[in-house]
Amino acid sequence: MRSLLELNLGLISGNKIGHIDNGPCVDPNQITTVLFGNSIGDENQRPSRIIFRDAILQNPNDLKDTELQFTEIKAEVVIDRITAKAMPRFLERVPAGAIFKLDMVLNIFDRDKFSEKALLDLIFQGLQLLQDDYLGGGGSRGSGRVKFSALNIIGRQYGENSGEPIIYDIPDFLK
Protein backbone atom coordinates (compact mmCIF):
# COMPACT_ATOMS: atom_id res chain seq x y z
CA MET A 1 0.00 0.00 0.00
CA ARG A 2 2.85 2.36 0.84
CA SER A 3 4.56 1.76 -2.50
CA LEU A 4 1.35 2.35 -4.43
CA LEU A 5 0.65 5.57 -2.54
CA GLU A 6 4.18 6.88 -3.01
CA LEU A 7 4.12 6.03 -6.71
CA ASN A 8 0.77 7.79 -7.05
CA LEU A 9 1.96 10.87 -5.14
CA GLY A 10 5.37 11.02 -6.86
CA LEU A 11 7.23 10.39 -3.59
CA ILE A 12 9.47 7.45 -4.53
CA SER A 13 12.89 8.35 -3.18
CA GLY A 14 16.35 7.72 -4.52
CA ASN A 15 17.32 6.04 -1.25
CA LYS A 16 19.04 2.71 -1.58
CA ILE A 17 17.45 0.09 0.69
CA GLY A 18 19.51 -3.09 0.48
CA HIS A 19 19.67 -3.87 -3.24
CA ILE A 20 16.66 -1.67 -4.09
CA ASP A 21 17.64 1.69 -5.61
CA ASN A 22 14.29 3.42 -5.10
CA GLY A 23 13.27 2.88 -1.51
CA PRO A 24 10.45 4.39 0.50
CA CYS A 25 10.18 8.11 1.08
CA VAL A 26 11.96 9.07 4.31
CA ASP A 27 11.25 12.82 4.29
CA PRO A 28 9.63 13.44 7.70
CA ASN A 29 7.53 16.23 6.18
CA GLN A 30 5.73 13.94 3.71
CA ILE A 31 2.39 12.40 4.63
CA THR A 32 3.42 8.84 3.69
CA THR A 33 6.37 9.04 6.07
CA VAL A 34 4.09 10.29 8.84
CA LEU A 35 1.66 7.42 8.20
CA PHE A 36 4.13 4.56 7.63
CA GLY A 37 7.19 5.89 9.49
CA ASN A 38 10.80 5.39 8.53
CA SER A 39 13.87 3.74 9.97
CA ILE A 40 16.68 6.04 8.93
CA GLY A 41 18.30 6.06 12.36
CA ASP A 42 18.64 9.79 13.03
CA GLU A 43 16.57 12.63 14.49
CA ASN A 44 14.21 12.40 11.49
CA GLN A 45 13.23 8.79 12.25
CA ARG A 46 9.47 8.40 12.71
CA PRO A 47 7.33 5.55 14.09
CA SER A 48 4.57 4.06 11.97
CA ARG A 49 1.12 5.47 12.72
CA ILE A 50 -0.67 2.53 11.11
CA ILE A 51 -0.75 -1.02 12.41
CA PHE A 52 -1.96 -3.90 10.23
CA ARG A 53 -3.16 -6.81 12.35
CA ASP A 54 -3.22 -10.42 11.12
CA ALA A 55 -6.00 -11.04 8.60
CA ILE A 56 -8.12 -13.93 9.88
CA LEU A 57 -9.80 -16.29 7.41
CA GLN A 58 -13.57 -16.06 7.88
CA ASN A 59 -14.87 -18.76 5.54
CA PRO A 60 -12.60 -21.83 5.88
CA ASN A 61 -15.48 -24.24 5.16
CA ASP A 62 -15.87 -22.73 1.69
CA LEU A 63 -12.28 -23.70 0.81
CA LYS A 64 -12.50 -27.47 1.28
CA ASP A 65 -11.91 -28.43 -2.37
CA THR A 66 -8.30 -27.26 -2.39
CA GLU A 67 -5.13 -29.32 -2.63
CA LEU A 68 -3.81 -28.02 0.70
CA GLN A 69 -5.69 -26.78 3.73
CA PHE A 70 -7.03 -23.32 2.78
CA THR A 71 -4.67 -22.86 -0.20
CA GLU A 72 -4.48 -24.13 -3.75
CA ILE A 73 -1.67 -25.07 -6.11
CA LYS A 74 -1.58 -23.21 -9.42
CA ALA A 75 0.48 -24.82 -12.15
CA GLU A 76 2.27 -22.56 -14.62
CA VAL A 77 4.64 -23.31 -17.45
CA VAL A 78 7.65 -21.24 -18.43
CA ILE A 79 8.88 -21.80 -21.98
CA ASP A 80 12.61 -21.40 -22.57
CA ARG A 81 12.83 -18.96 -25.49
CA ILE A 82 15.92 -20.59 -27.00
CA THR A 83 15.25 -24.31 -26.60
CA ALA A 84 11.42 -24.13 -26.44
CA LYS A 85 11.63 -26.52 -23.50
CA ALA A 86 8.70 -26.37 -21.10
CA MET A 87 9.60 -25.82 -17.46
CA PRO A 88 6.61 -26.31 -15.16
CA ARG A 89 6.42 -24.56 -11.82
CA PHE A 90 3.84 -24.66 -9.09
CA LEU A 91 2.67 -21.75 -6.94
CA GLU A 92 0.74 -21.96 -3.71
CA ARG A 93 -1.88 -19.26 -3.39
CA VAL A 94 -5.06 -18.32 -1.55
CA PRO A 95 -8.05 -19.37 -3.67
CA ALA A 96 -10.57 -16.90 -5.04
CA GLY A 97 -13.48 -16.36 -2.69
CA ALA A 98 -11.46 -16.44 0.53
CA ILE A 99 -12.77 -13.82 2.95
CA PHE A 100 -10.54 -12.30 5.61
CA LYS A 101 -11.22 -10.00 8.53
CA LEU A 102 -8.50 -7.38 8.77
CA ASP A 103 -8.04 -4.90 11.58
CA MET A 104 -5.98 -1.76 11.15
CA VAL A 105 -5.12 0.73 13.87
CA LEU A 106 -4.30 4.37 13.17
CA ASN A 107 -2.49 6.22 15.94
CA ILE A 108 -3.13 9.95 15.92
CA PHE A 109 -0.99 12.31 17.95
CA ASP A 110 -1.84 15.92 18.81
CA ARG A 111 1.49 17.10 17.44
CA ASP A 112 1.07 15.45 14.03
CA LYS A 113 1.69 17.71 11.06
CA PHE A 114 -1.23 16.16 9.17
CA SER A 115 -4.82 16.04 10.37
CA GLU A 116 -6.71 12.90 11.30
CA LYS A 117 -8.84 13.41 8.18
CA ALA A 118 -5.78 13.70 5.93
CA LEU A 119 -4.31 10.46 7.31
CA LEU A 120 -7.65 8.62 6.99
CA ASP A 121 -8.09 9.92 3.44
CA LEU A 122 -4.62 8.60 2.59
CA ILE A 123 -5.53 5.17 3.98
CA PHE A 124 -8.75 5.13 1.92
CA GLN A 125 -6.78 6.15 -1.17
CA GLY A 126 -4.29 3.34 -0.48
CA LEU A 127 -7.09 0.78 -0.13
CA GLN A 128 -8.55 1.93 -3.45
CA LEU A 129 -5.14 1.70 -5.15
CA LEU A 130 -4.68 -1.80 -3.72
CA GLN A 131 -8.09 -2.89 -5.06
CA ASP A 132 -7.07 -1.60 -8.50
CA ASP A 133 -3.67 -3.32 -8.33
CA TYR A 134 -2.83 -6.54 -6.48
CA LEU A 135 -1.48 -7.81 -3.18
CA GLY A 136 1.70 -9.92 -3.09
CA GLY A 137 3.35 -11.56 -6.06
CA GLY A 138 1.94 -12.83 -9.31
CA GLY A 139 -0.40 -9.93 -9.98
CA SER A 140 0.43 -9.83 -13.68
CA ARG A 141 -0.66 -13.49 -13.81
CA GLY A 142 -4.00 -12.91 -12.09
CA SER A 143 -3.07 -13.52 -8.46
CA GLY A 144 -3.50 -11.13 -5.56
CA ARG A 145 -6.76 -9.42 -6.45
CA VAL A 146 -8.47 -8.04 -3.35
CA LYS A 147 -11.72 -6.25 -2.62
CA PHE A 148 -12.50 -4.44 0.60
CA SER A 149 -16.08 -4.54 1.86
CA ALA A 150 -18.10 -4.14 5.04
CA LEU A 151 -15.63 -1.58 6.36
CA ASN A 152 -16.12 -0.08 9.78
CA ILE A 153 -13.84 2.58 11.14
CA ILE A 154 -14.08 3.33 14.81
CA GLY A 155 -11.93 5.92 16.52
CA ARG A 156 -11.13 5.93 20.19
CA GLN A 157 -9.49 8.69 22.12
CA TYR A 158 -7.57 8.00 25.29
CA GLY A 159 -6.46 10.24 28.12
CA GLU A 160 -8.16 13.35 29.42
CA ASN A 161 -10.41 13.70 26.37
CA SER A 162 -11.55 10.07 26.25
CA GLY A 163 -15.20 9.43 25.56
CA GLU A 164 -17.49 7.47 23.29
CA PRO A 165 -15.98 5.86 20.17
CA ILE A 166 -16.21 7.89 16.97
CA ILE A 167 -17.76 6.21 13.89
CA TYR A 168 -16.23 7.42 10.62
CA ASP A 169 -17.85 7.61 7.20
CA ILE A 170 -16.51 5.23 4.57
CA PRO A 171 -15.98 6.56 1.01
CA ASP A 172 -18.48 5.19 -1.51
CA PHE A 173 -15.81 3.43 -3.60
CA LEU A 174 -14.98 1.19 -0.62
CA LYS A 175 -18.57 0.27 0.31
Side-chain angles (χ1 to χ4, degrees):
M1 194 163 100
R2 180 182 193 156
S3 297
L4 291 170
L5 284 165
E6 289 181 349
L7 278 168
N8 190 51
L9 298 171
L11 296 176
I12 295 296
S13 74
N15 295 320
K16 188 169 180 79
I17 306 293
H19 65 279
I20 300 170
D21 287 328
N22 294 307
C25 178
V26 296
D27 181 345
N29 297 311
Q30 294 294 341
I31 192 167
T32 55
T33 305
V34 170
L35 182 62
F36 295 103
N38 66 36
S39 58
I40 55 178
D42 64 16
E43 69 278 354
N44 292 316
Q45 184 166 323
R46 298 290 182 265
S48 177
R49 298 286 193 264
I50 189 166
I51 299 167
F52 293 87
R53 303 274 193 221
D54 287 343
I56 307 299
L57 182 64
Q58 299 296 296
N59 62 335
N61 293 332
D62 294 345
L63 308 179
K64 286 184 176 179
D65 295 330
T66 58
E67 295 85 356
L68 302 171
Q69 187 177 17
F70 313 130
T71 60
E72 66 185 6
I73 302 296
K74 180 179 186 250
E76 295 184 342
V77 177
V78 177
I79 306 294
D80 184 299
R81 294 178 185 201
I82 305 299
T83 66
K85 181 180 175 185
M87 297 175 290
R89 64 179 176 188
F90 301 91
L91 304 172
E92 182 180 356
R93 67 181 188 176
V94 175
I99 298 171
F100 293 88
K101 180 180 187 287
L102 172 67
D103 291 325
M104 295 184 292
V105 176
L106 175 61
N107 292 306
I108 305 289
F109 299 106
D110 291 338
R111 64 186 180 280
D112 278 342
K113 176 180 178 173
F114 296 95
S115 70
E116 178 179 326
K117 181 182 181 334
L119 292 171
L120 281 169
D121 286 349
L122 188 67
I123 291 171
F124 292 143
Q125 182 182 5
L127 293 173
Q128 178 64 58
L129 288 167
L130 193 53
Q131 281 188 163
D132 293 342
D133 204 73
Y134 60 92
L135 181 64
S140 64
R141 296 183 305 277
S143 297
R145 185 173 178 195
V146 296
K147 177 164 178 33
F148 297 99
S149 62
L151 293 175
N152 296 307
I153 300 196
I154 301 170
R156 290 185 176 88
Q157 192 167 7
Y158 299 97
E160 293 178 14
N161 297 323
S162 64
E164 293 297 314
I166 305 162
I167 309 297
Y168 293 98
D169 292 328
I170 306 298
D172 287 337
F173 62 81
L174 291 172
K175 289 185 178 173

